[in-house]
Amino acid sequence: MTHQYLLPSALTDKDMQIRKAGFEFEFGNLPVLQTAAALQQSLGGEIDAKSPFEVILRGSILGKLRIERDANILKSVKYRKWLKEVGVEFFPGSIVHNIESNIDNASRLLIPCEVVTEPIPFNELNKLDTLVETLKSLGAQGTQDSLIYAFGLHINPSIPSDSVDTLLRYMQAFLLLHTWIIDFSSIDLTRRFLTKYIDPFPAQYLELVLSEEYTPDINAFTEDYLEHNSTRNRALDMLPILCCLNRERVLEAVSAEERNLVKGRPAFHYRLPDCKVNVPSWSAAEAWNAWVYIEKLASDEVLLRELIGQWCLNNEIFSIAPRTSWALRLTSILSRKFFEG
């Protein structure tokens, strides 16, 4: 089945290069080595097995992929250095390698597996369908398969510009569409209420950023963001971008626990979508196209100003359930303006 990956208005960055997006798929029920072997068969490339918990697939049709068990205690394999010093070998087929493989197999129902892509050009995102269909064929489990699962699909689109005007418009567009996207995409209640990874932005931050008088320079934009959001746990995590612009200030603001996890890169970290690899008809295009609504709104200055004005008059609508007249009106406006015809 062919899925349509919509294209945003801003296709190139400030250097006139095609923008790219990296994807992080979280899922359950699959051992790392089995997943890597199946992806090699469907996507090509060469396998570089770091351990049964971490494999790099190089030279695939999607470029480099990292397949790993999403647990630092397993990926670190720090115990290997000590065991090697006493003569223990870790080659495939060795006793210790088999033990590690059994650990990975046993943990697959509790600790998610993750496939991380390198940045892919926006006009080549349809290649992701082969990856998703491969995971489905293996029996990968998605967010809806268990009450304890909170698997996400993280998308990291490169920024079109690092100007404060651009970053502000994207943030405003996201805040305006946040509740609508949750409703439109049927974001799973487990991830919304039982984890902190996609916590909503504080009401005070919404009121500040969606004020018609808010025109910060980049330093004020950074300080305001960090004052209200000194954490990675936001559905649109801006810390990687801000870390690129002012690394010392960002690392000073976040907790010691998160300091080693914040990496600077000129890309949005969009963490809202579920990973629904258990749903037969699902494609990554579903999550991507919801992001494109944000892109389109950020690029339409007239509509953005109009919706900010309406929000300032009626901001109480954001404190009630997403299925409101506001959400329905957004569906009508955005569908008619961006995607019909």
Side-chain angles (χ1 to χ4, degrees), residues 44 141 164 175 190 196 201 239 242 256 272 282 284 307 310 316:
Q141 293 183 342
V164 66
L175 294 175
T190 301
K196 296 186 176 184
F201 284 90
L239 291 183
L242 299 181
L272 188 57
W282 184 80
L307 293 181
Q310 292 186 26
E316 71 275 4

Side-chain angles (χ1 to χ4, degrees), residues 156-223:
N156 304 292
S158 62
I159 56 177
S161 165
D162 59 7
S163 71
V164 66
D165 177 64
T166 298
L167 300 182
L168 176 59
R169 283 189 285 107
Y170 272 81
M171 176 56 67
Q172 290 171 330
F174 174 81
L175 294 175
L176 288 166
L177 298 185
H178 177 231
T179 54
W180 174 81
I181 291 175
I182 289 175
D183 183 63
F184 174 77
S185 304
S186 301
I187 302 300
D188 190 84
L189 294 179
T190 301
R191 298 185 66 235
R192 289 174 59 192
F193 298 124
L194 298 184
T195 73
K196 296 186 176 184
Y197 304 132
I198 56 172
D199 281 351
F201 284 90
Q204 286 184 326
Y205 187 68
L206 268 73
E207 292 173 3
L208 173 67
V209 174
L210 294 178
S211 166
E212 293 176 309
E213 288 74 40
Y214 188 60
T215 56
D217 61 18
I218 191 61
N219 290 327
F221 179 80
T222 300
E223 289 300 325

Side-chain angles (χ1 to χ4, degrees), residues 80-128:
R80 280 190 168 194
K81 181 179 179 181
W82 177 79
L83 290 175
K84 285 180 178 179
E85 289 178 354
V86 295
V88 175
E89 299 292 341
F90 290 87
F91 57 84
S94 68
I95 293 176
V96 178
H97 186 275
N98 289 338
I99 290 173
E100 288 182 328
S101 298
N102 288 334
I103 292 173
D104 181 64
N105 188 56
S107 66
R108 73 185 194 277
L109 296 177
L110 297 175
I111 304 173
C113 188
E114 186 173 34
V115 175
V116 181
T117 77
E118 68 177 20
I120 304 166
F122 284 3
N123 57 355
E124 298 180 18
L125 295 181
N126 62 303
K127 294 178 181 178
L128 288 168

